[in-house]
Amino acid sequence: MSIDWTALGQVAAVSIGVTVAVVVVFALGVLGLARYEGARSVPEGGTSAAGVAQAGMCFLACAGVVAYGIYLIVPQFH
Protein backbone atom coordinates (compact mmCIF):
# COMPACT_ATOMS: atom_id res chain seq x y z
CA MET A 1 0.00 0.00 0.00
CA SER A 2 1.35 3.39 -0.93
CA ILE A 3 0.10 6.81 0.07
CA ASP A 4 0.09 9.75 -2.31
CA TRP A 5 1.34 12.33 0.17
CA THR A 6 0.94 15.20 -2.27
CA ALA A 7 -2.75 14.48 -2.77
CA LEU A 8 -3.24 14.02 0.96
CA GLY A 9 -1.56 17.37 1.62
CA GLN A 10 -3.73 19.09 -1.00
CA VAL A 11 -6.90 17.67 0.53
CA ALA A 12 -5.82 18.76 4.02
CA ALA A 13 -4.90 22.27 2.83
CA VAL A 14 -8.18 22.78 0.97
CA SER A 15 -10.18 21.42 3.92
CA ILE A 16 -8.49 23.77 6.37
CA GLY A 17 -8.86 26.72 3.99
CA VAL A 18 -12.56 26.14 3.38
CA THR A 19 -13.19 25.60 7.08
CA VAL A 20 -11.56 28.91 7.98
CA ALA A 21 -13.44 30.68 5.19
CA VAL A 22 -16.84 29.32 6.32
CA VAL A 23 -16.15 30.30 9.93
CA VAL A 24 -15.19 33.84 8.86
CA VAL A 25 -18.28 34.19 6.66
CA PHE A 26 -20.53 32.90 9.45
CA ALA A 27 -18.93 35.37 11.88
CA LEU A 28 -19.63 38.19 9.42
CA GLY A 29 -23.25 37.05 9.31
CA VAL A 30 -23.48 37.20 13.10
CA LEU A 31 -21.90 40.67 12.97
CA GLY A 32 -24.59 41.77 10.50
CA LEU A 33 -27.31 40.54 12.85
CA ALA A 34 -25.67 42.33 15.75
CA ARG A 35 -25.56 45.56 13.76
CA TYR A 36 -29.24 45.17 12.93
CA GLU A 37 -30.18 44.48 16.56
CA GLY A 38 -28.00 47.38 17.70
CA ALA A 39 -29.69 49.75 15.28
CA ARG A 40 -33.14 48.55 16.39
CA SER A 41 -32.38 49.19 20.05
CA VAL A 42 -31.48 52.85 19.45
CA PRO A 43 -34.15 55.12 21.00
CA GLU A 44 -34.59 56.95 17.69
CA GLY A 45 -35.94 53.71 16.24
CA GLY A 46 -33.42 53.40 13.40
CA THR A 47 -32.99 50.13 11.54
CA SER A 48 -30.15 48.87 9.43
CA ALA A 49 -31.23 47.09 6.27
CA ALA A 50 -27.56 46.62 5.37
CA GLY A 51 -27.06 44.49 8.49
CA VAL A 52 -29.92 42.20 7.55
CA ALA A 53 -28.69 41.94 3.97
CA GLN A 54 -25.15 41.17 5.15
CA ALA A 55 -26.39 38.48 7.52
CA GLY A 56 -28.66 36.95 4.89
CA MET A 57 -25.94 36.77 2.25
CA CYS A 58 -23.41 35.31 4.68
CA PHE A 59 -25.78 32.67 6.03
CA LEU A 60 -26.88 31.80 2.49
CA ALA A 61 -23.23 31.32 1.49
CA CYS A 62 -22.66 29.05 4.51
CA ALA A 63 -25.74 27.01 3.64
CA GLY A 64 -24.50 26.70 0.06
CA VAL A 65 -21.14 25.34 1.21
CA VAL A 66 -22.86 22.83 3.48
CA ALA A 67 -25.24 21.75 0.70
CA TYR A 68 -22.32 21.31 -1.72
CA GLY A 69 -20.47 19.20 0.86
CA ILE A 70 -23.51 16.97 1.34
CA TYR A 71 -23.83 16.68 -2.45
CA LEU A 72 -20.21 15.50 -2.67
CA ILE A 73 -20.62 12.96 0.13
CA VAL A 74 -23.95 11.33 -0.81
CA PRO A 75 -23.54 9.12 -3.89
CA GLN A 76 -27.26 9.12 -4.77
CA PHE A 77 -27.01 12.81 -5.73
CA HIS A 78 -24.54 12.16 -8.56
Side-chain angles (χ1 to χ4, degrees), residues 1-2 9-10 15 17 19-21 23 26 30 38 49 52 59 67-68 76:
M1 181 171 120
S2 66
Q10 288 175 347
S15 297
T19 300
V20 169
V23 168
F26 188 83
V30 171
V52 174
F59 294 146
Y68 183 64
Q76 285 86 3

Side-chain angles (χ1 to χ4, degrees), residues 29-51:
V30 171
L31 176 66
L33 282 180
R35 286 183 179 167
Y36 173 70
E37 290 296 324
R40 269 189 24 188
S41 66
V42 173
E44 290 82 30
T47 59
S48 174

